[in-house]
Amino acid sequence: MHKFNETVHFGVLSGNEVVILEKLESTQSVSVHSQVGKKSSLYCTSVGKVILANLPQAKIDHFLDTYPRVKYTDNTIVDKEQLLAELEKIRQNGYAIDIEERELGVRSVAVPTRNLAGTLIGGLSVTGPRYRMTDERIREIRDFLLDVVLKKKM
């Protein structure tokens, strides 16, 4: 949060949703409103998608076959095949991006977090308003987050 002065979330899987366990809020006058303990959709938030992408395929299939997907914005991916392709891209790249999929004007980038044994714990995201979270800024934040989770720097 101090490096980018944007809101940082740490979320974990809770049933078929992601729950925010920790939040460090930006000190800027315009920031993202969120609450610790609040649950959100797995398929249309960066933390949710990075968690979903790192689950065993059987759990992903069960989720996609049983959990209803609401189209919150024009950018929300609700089609099963498109979502599977997005999850594969997330696995290959090691991060997820939410480009106004859950809420217009909000963008975020997230990486998975793992314990020492390599088991998925949750996801860590940096979230901000669209006008500050440009493609270039998202790439900068993404690179930093990937370095941190890969233990290259702290």
Side-chain angles (χ1 to χ4, degrees):
M1 191 279 298
H2 296 289
K3 182 168 180 63
F4 298 106
N5 200 12
E6 297 294 354
T7 301
V8 175
H9 296 102
F10 174 70
V12 297
L13 183 65
S14 177
N16 286 323
E17 297 175 298
V18 61
V19 63
I20 301 303
L21 291 186
E22 186 62 66
K23 169 189 162 185
L24 299 173
E25 193 164 334
S26 168
T27 61
Q28 300 194 60
S29 59
V30 175
S31 64
V32 175
H33 174 73
S34 58
Q35 296 174 327
V36 171
K38 182 180 178 189
K39 291 184 177 182
S40 291
S41 304
L42 281 175
Y43 64 95
C44 61
T45 62
S46 63
V47 170
K49 289 191 302 181
V50 84
I51 291 171
L52 186 60
N54 284 279
L55 293 176
Q57 190 62 47
K59 285 188 177 185
I60 294 171
D61 292 337
H62 177 74
F63 173 82
L64 294 178
D65 290 340
T66 60
Y67 191 74
R69 293 177 298 282
V70 175
K71 191 159 184 72
Y72 294 104
T73 74
D74 287 343
N75 296 335
T76 308
I77 303 170
V78 294
D79 176 77
K80 181 179 178 178
E81 296 307 315
Q82 286 180 323
L83 194 50
L84 283 169
E86 174 78 357
L87 297 176
E88 179 58 30
K89 186 172 111 178
I90 291 166
R91 277 190 295 277
Q92 289 177 4
N93 295 332
Y95 66 92
I97 298 175
D98 170 0
I99 304 295
E100 301 180 80
E101 294 170 47
R102 177 64 177 89
E103 188 174 339
L104 290 176
V106 177
R107 300 176 86 187
S108 65
V109 58
V111 294
T113 57
R114 301 179 186 282
N115 64 18
L116 292 175
T119 305
L120 179 72
I121 297 171
L124 180 69
S125 73
V126 177
T127 305
R130 173 182 55 205
Y131 72 92
R132 286 197 309 259
M133 295 293 283
T134 62
D135 291 344
E136 180 180 327
R137 187 120 190 267
I138 284 178
R139 284 190 296 273
E140 177 187 4
I141 295 168
R142 172 205 65 199
D143 291 347
F144 177 80
L145 290 175
L146 287 171
D147 281 350
V148 169
V149 286
L150 296 173
K151 305 292 188 234
K152 291 182 181 174
K153 66 181 177 186
M154 289 295 192

